[in-house]
Amino acid sequence: MTSTPPKDFQAAGVVIEGLRKSYGPIEVLKGIDLEVKPGQVVCLIGPSGSGKSTLLRCVNLLEQPNGGAIDVGGFDVTDPDVDVDKMRRHVGMVFQQFNLFPHLTVLENCTVAQLKVLKRSKAEADQVAQRNLEKVGLGKFASRYPAQLSGGQQQRVAIARALSMDPSLMLFDEPTSALDPETVGEVLSIMRNLARDGMTMLVVTHEMAFARDVADRVVFMDGGVVVEEGTSEEVIGNPQQPRTQDFLKRVL
Ligand code: ADP
Ligand code: MG
């Protein structure tokens, strides 16, 4: 693996091999193998505490892995000499809590990293932000503040903000879990559009209908290991492992 991203970083895939992560004496990820091919959507499902968020956070080095390798589009994330800032520019992340800046407008939320990290001009950053706000159906909300928006709208801003950095890979960590039920659908619909447009996506979700319809692969984790992996028909429609069957009985 090399630490320089190839030219076609736009279509980045992810290859995770033997990923291990411990907090003190507790091993939370016990050797995870997982692949997201360029343009694919992989949904990661599993009970609370199984290590899903930790895995996602290792991919963009919000957590430092203790072992194994992670390659994002030919970029070796686990190389000790990796340029973390450079790598993170290619990886967008959307969290359960939207983490918008409350004192900035919707547009400014979507331009601040473009200005600071990508050193874009204000005119270009505004244009990119506006385009992405339109993509998530919030073109008319640019001058509002986050507190003036519903949870679903705020999460759509968070997605537009991530997209404004032109990521090659999007990580979603339970993006609809903190939302009122009536606004979940609007966020899932944006994610469906992104998937249709060919974005590479790794999505932690409890939305089984979304996983069933959109995921190219579904990975079921429990206790820090991948218990079962396959197409959504296989894993959700016809799970083979008792732990997967028990989990699905509880969430479906
Ligand atoms: P999930 O997202 O599947 O619910 P997490 O990845 O959040 O699971 O957590 C997996 C396990 O790691 C849990 O037992 C959790 O308590 C533990 N854990 C997560 N983050 C930390 C941390 N920063 N320090 C110590 N333990 C942690
Ligand atoms: Mg989690």
Side-chain angles (χ1 to χ4, degrees), residues 209-227:
F210 175 84
R212 185 184 280 154
D213 296 349
V214 180
D216 296 294
R217 312 286 297 172
V218 174
V219 176
F220 172 71
M221 268 179 76
D222 193 11
V225 298
V226 172
V227 173

Side-chain angles (χ1 to χ4, degrees), residues 1-6 8-9 11-15 70-77:
M1 284 193 257
T2 66
S3 52
T4 19
D8 64 344
F9 208 96
V14 185
V15 182
I70 303 174
D71 177 302
V72 177
F75 197 94
D76 181 358
V77 170

Side-chain angles (χ1 to χ4, degrees), residues 143-193:
S143 58
R144 295 217 194 168
Y145 285 87
Q148 298 171 309
L149 304 181
S150 71
Q153 289 169 333
Q154 290 187 55
Q155 191 61 298
R156 284 149 66 194
V157 174
I159 294 172
R161 177 177 61 178
L163 292 177
S164 295
M165 300 296 282
D166 298 328
S168 316
L169 164 70
M170 286 286 288
L171 306 174
F172 290 88
D173 193 356
E174 299 196 38
T176 61
S177 294
L179 299 179
D180 294 330
E182 64 269 25
T183 67
V184 168
E186 64 194 57
V187 172
L188 293 178
S189 134
I190 300 299
M191 293 170 65
R192 281 172 200 265
N193 292 345

